[in-house]
């Protein structure tokens, strides 16, 4: 008997003009597809994941359901895509970090928003769709962790608790994506720290880990099925648990994979010591990225709290270099009361540290963070803002970009950013002459620190 497959179009709402947003497969959407397949059977569905040519794809694919994932800086795209689907009378689900934090920004073209993690919610939503071919408001009210329109208001149901046993989440459906020999994996969700600018930690609220066994099984699957030889752990912070790293090394050796796959990951300077560096080396970590943010104590404390200091930064750089781990670091300038002298102190630190890779960004207010609350009080952002303003390249659009500094004009900030950019270009040129292959990899991993919110493993996402 022939089964009429349900066609589900999953849209990764990103800015395709920016390579930093297109360089990785959208694993968040893959987790959702795997969840539905496991619950209802693969033969039930026909999935398609896209990030462009949306109107044409809707016309050709003729989906029964459209799911859209986005972060705040790309919410304008999500609104546009929802409108395209609704013109065809297709039910629309919206998910991701933006709508989870700001459900009231839903448009009338969006039928239901999933708040938080989506693997369980998507199964319940599909059960509703199966029976009525639509998302009935009475049925939605019984599902945890969703928001929907009720009259003229957006109403939100009880928060859905996060999945406690992470190993119950199936590996993402990578068969729906293009997988290169260098790809990424999520081995955890969340971060134990609360940097003032980070939306991801507010979204996840706690840190949860896939077991070492699960992670190694996923790496083996990538190695055997897709020929992957390089993996970037796209966790907010990979090195939280030393015992898990030790177990991964043990299992990689057992599977005869140790040394055959190289890795990159994010670390935090206060967690780097000799023993951690040795573990990373054993696992075949080739490079790490750190969010150092500032080299002045006052600003560092404002951005990252009192759990870290400049001494940690210096020690971490020294240890990582000693063990031959390529190290890149990101820095943030433009906090509200940061002075020119403090910013130049960070530049001095960069020069003295001789870091191989650096990135510099201007502090941006993301919804859900204390920085957003500060900017909202000053009237710089709101729920009704043009979300593309969060997606602006500061150097190219400094006259229109959001500036939080109360000490420096946007012109002064632009001049300082330019100085940092020139320093970065000089370092890249010199290092490229010495290590042409490795410097390209380091640059790649620097970019990650800027765009990490975009690639979080969030519901109906792909930071």
């Amino acid at each position: 008997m022939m089964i009429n497959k349900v066609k589900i179009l999953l849209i990764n709402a990103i800015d395709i003009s920016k390579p930093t947003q297109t360089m990785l497969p959208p694993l968040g959407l893959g987790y959702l597809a795997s969840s539905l397949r496991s619950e209802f059977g693969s033969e039930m569905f026909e999935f398609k994941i896209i990030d462009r040519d949306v109107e044409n794809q809707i016309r050709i694919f003729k989906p029964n359901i459209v799911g859209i994932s986005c972060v705040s800086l790309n919410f304008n795209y999500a609104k546009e895509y929802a409108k395209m689907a609704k013109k065809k009378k297709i039910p629309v689900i919206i998910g991701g970090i933006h709508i989870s934090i700001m459900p009231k920004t839903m448009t009338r073209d969006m039928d239901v928003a999933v708040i938080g993690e989506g693997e369980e919610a998507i199964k319940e939503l599909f059960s509703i769709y199966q029976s009525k071919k639509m998302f009935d408001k009475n049925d939605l009210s019984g599902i945890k962790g969703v928001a929907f329109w009720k009259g003229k208001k957006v109403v939100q149901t009880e928060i859905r608790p996060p999945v406690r046993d992470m190993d119950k989440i199936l590996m993402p459906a990578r068969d729906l994506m293009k997988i290169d020999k260098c790809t990424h994996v999520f081995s955890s969700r969340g971060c134990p720290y609360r940097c003032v600018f980070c939306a991801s930690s507010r979204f996840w609220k706690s840190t949860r880990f896939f077991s070492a066994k699960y992670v190694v099984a996923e790496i083996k699957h990538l190695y055997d099925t897709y020929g992957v030889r390089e993996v970037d752990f796209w966790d907010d912070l990979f090195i939280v648990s030393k015992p898990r790293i030790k177990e991964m090394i043990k299992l990689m050796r057992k599977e005869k994979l140790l040394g055959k796959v190289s890795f990159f990951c994010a670390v935090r300077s206060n967690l780097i010591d000799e023993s951690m560096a040795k573990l990373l080396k054993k696992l075949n970590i080739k490079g790490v990225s750190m969010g150092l943010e500032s080299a002045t104590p006052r600003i560092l404390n404002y951005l990252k709290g009192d759990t870290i200091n400049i001494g940690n930064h210096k020690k971490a750089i020294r240890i990582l270099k000693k063990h031959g781990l390529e190290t890149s670091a990101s820095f943030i300038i433009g906090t509200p009361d940061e002075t020119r002298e403090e910013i130049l102190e960070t530049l001095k630190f960069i020069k003295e540290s001789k870091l191989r890779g650096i990135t510099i960004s201007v502090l941006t207010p993301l919804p859900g963070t204390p920085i957003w609350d500060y900017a909202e009080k000053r009237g710089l952002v709101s729920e009704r803002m043009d979300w593309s303003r969060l997606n602006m390249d500061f150097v190219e659009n400094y006259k229109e970009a959001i500036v939080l500094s109360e000490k420096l004009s946007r012109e002064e900030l632009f001049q300082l950013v330019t100085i940092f950019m020139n320093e970065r270009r000089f370092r890249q040129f010199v290092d490229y002459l010495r290590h042409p292959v490795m410097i390209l990899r380091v640059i790649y991993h620097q970019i990650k620190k800027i765009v990490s919110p975009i690639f979080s493993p969030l519901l109906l996402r792909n930071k």
Side-chain angles (χ1 to χ4, degrees):
M1 179 175 149
M2 287 287 293
I3 297 175
N4 290 323
K5 292 192 175 185
V6 178
K7 292 185 174 184
I8 299 182
L9 183 65
L10 299 174
I11 304 172
N12 187 25
I14 60 173
D15 183 350
I16 62 171
S17 70
K18 296 181 183 294
T20 53
Q21 296 190 31
T22 61
M23 64 184 182
L24 294 176
L27 297 189
L29 296 175
Y31 283 116
L32 299 180
S34 290
S35 184
L36 286 172
R37 283 172 170 176
S38 68
E39 183 75 6
F40 301 99
S42 298
E43 69 281 354
M44 176 72 73
F45 305 100
E46 183 177 350
F47 290 102
K48 192 166 191 178
I49 297 178
I50 63 170
D51 60 13
R52 66 197 71 198
D53 195 25
V54 173
E55 190 166 25
N56 194 41
Q57 290 291 336
I58 289 174
R59 179 182 59 80
I60 295 171
F61 187 59
K62 294 181 173 57
N64 301 106
I65 300 172
V66 165
I68 304 172
S69 164
C70 79
V71 292
S72 294
L73 48 162
N74 292 323
F75 191 56
N76 284 358
Y77 293 110
K79 293 194 291 184
E80 181 183 344
Y81 299 153
K83 185 178 291 186
M84 291 175 183
K86 196 49 62 181
K87 282 182 180 178
K88 301 287 187 181
K89 301 187 178 349
I90 303 170
V92 175
I93 304 171
I94 179 74
I97 190 169
H98 173 82
I99 210 67
S100 294
I101 291 173
M102 307 192 79
K104 290 184 179 179
T105 59
M106 279 181 71
T107 69
R108 285 286 182 175
D109 297 315
M110 301 168 184
D111 295 283
V112 56
V114 178
I115 310 302
E117 223 159 39
E119 287 85 4
E120 294 302 314
I122 196 70
K123 293 188 287 191
E124 294 183 28
L125 286 172
F126 183 72
S127 292
I128 289 176
Y129 173 82
Q130 262 191 311
S131 61
K132 297 184 179 179
K133 306 306 178 190
M134 60 179 291
F135 297 117
D136 183 88
K137 293 177 175 57
N138 293 324
D139 293 328
L140 290 174
S141 62
I143 295 181
K144 292 181 179 180
V146 298
F148 54 91
W149 287 97
K150 193 170 185 179
K152 295 182 178 181
K153 292 183 178 180
V154 173
V155 296
Q156 185 176 337
T157 64
E158 179 185 347
I159 294 295
R160 179 183 295 272
V163 176
R164 298 317 310 175
D165 184 357
M166 292 282 283
D167 285 10
K168 289 184 177 179
I169 298 173
L170 297 183
M171 286 188 284
R174 288 186 172 89
D175 59 291
L176 301 173
M177 315 167 205
K178 183 180 183 297
I179 305 299
D180 296 322
K181 290 188 177 181
C182 169
T183 192
H184 72 303
V185 163
F186 292 112
S187 81
S188 67
R189 294 181 178 181
C191 177
Y193 298 96
R194 293 292 182 270
C195 297
V196 72
F197 52 85
C198 179
S200 179
S201 60
R202 272 79 187 180
F203 174 85
W204 293 117
K205 295 183 172 53
S206 63
T207 309
R208 292 163 296 142
F209 303 94
F210 290 100
S211 69
K213 183 178 179 181
Y214 181 106
V215 177
V216 171
E218 185 167 4
I219 293 166
K220 180 172 171 53
H221 172 69
L222 290 170
Y223 184 91
D224 292 340
T225 307
Y226 298 99
V228 169
R229 297 297 182 264
E230 186 173 299
V231 170
D232 194 331
F233 290 113
W234 210 260
D235 306 11
D236 288 326
L237 183 57
F238 175 71
I239 63 171
V240 175
S241 170
K242 278 186 181 180
R244 192 177 70 128
I245 297 175
K246 290 178 182 178
E247 183 66 15
M248 285 179 61
I249 294 169
K250 177 182 175 182
L251 293 172
M252 288 285 288
R253 184 178 290 113
K254 182 179 179 182
E255 293 292 343
K256 296 182 170 49
L257 286 173
L258 195 62
K260 294 181 179 179
V261 182
S262 58
F263 301 98
F264 289 79
C265 69
V267 304
R268 205 171 194 265
S269 69
N270 62 304
L271 299 182
I272 293 295
D273 56 21
E274 288 285 344
S275 62
M276 177 59 77
K278 289 176 182 178
L279 282 177
L280 296 178
K281 195 72 176 176
K282 283 183 182 178
L283 186 58
N284 204 29
I285 297 283
K286 294 296 186 182
V288 302
S289 57
M290 293 188 289
L292 299 186
E293 319 312 355
S294 177
T296 58
R298 187 177 72 89
I299 301 303
L300 182 62
N301 183 268
Y302 173 82
L303 293 171
K304 299 181 79 72
D306 60 5
T307 59
I308 201 164
N309 57 57
I310 309 302
N312 295 143
H313 289 359
K314 294 178 179 178
K315 179 182 176 184
I317 293 169
R318 176 177 55 78
I319 291 174
L320 292 167
K321 284 185 176 181
K322 173 184 172 182
H323 290 275
L325 293 161
E326 295 295 336
T327 305
S328 63
S330 60
F331 296 86
I332 294 174
I333 66 173
T335 57
D337 65 345
E338 187 177 26
T339 65
R340 178 183 176 85
E341 289 71 29
E342 286 172 317
I343 291 174
L344 291 176
E345 188 66 26
T346 294
L347 180 63
K348 179 183 177 184
F349 174 88
I350 290 172
K351 290 181 176 181
E352 292 177 348
S353 67
K354 297 181 180 179
L355 284 163
R356 178 168 276 183
I358 62 167
T359 57
I360 182 72
S361 58
V362 176
L363 185 62
T364 300
L366 297 176
T369 68
I371 293 297
W372 173 271
D373 296 337
Y374 170 83
E376 190 174 38
K377 287 176 183 176
R378 286 183 54 191
L380 299 174
V381 295
S382 74
E383 288 185 349
R384 297 179 180 83
M385 70 179 290
D386 175 1
W387 297 102
S388 67
R389 294 192 68 208
L390 299 178
N391 197 24
M392 289 181 172
D393 180 283
F394 184 81
V395 173
E396 295 178 2
N397 303 281
Y398 74 93
K399 291 183 178 179
E400 291 80 35
I402 297 170
V403 171
L404 301 177
S405 176
E406 296 181 24
K407 297 287 186 180
L408 303 167
S409 68
R410 60 182 63 241
E411 287 75 17
E412 290 174 310
L413 204 52
F414 171 76
Q415 291 171 0
L416 286 165
V417 171
T418 301
I419 293 172
F420 276 87
M421 296 291 284
N422 289 337
E423 175 66 20
R424 186 182 75 170
R425 291 189 190 100
F426 172 73
R427 287 176 176 278
Q428 288 176 351
F429 175 73
V430 172
D431 283 335
Y432 181 75
L433 294 178
R434 295 174 181 168
H435 310 277
V437 176
M438 182 54 71
I439 193 59
L440 291 175
R441 299 300 307 133
V442 171
I443 293 169
Y444 167 83
H445 292 283
Q446 293 168 32
I447 291 172
K448 165 177 124 174
K449 298 306 297 182
I450 295 179
V451 301
S452 58
I454 296 172
F455 298 109
S456 298
L458 306 178
L459 159 79
L460 280 182
R461 196 190 58 92
N462 293 345
K463 86 65 93 292

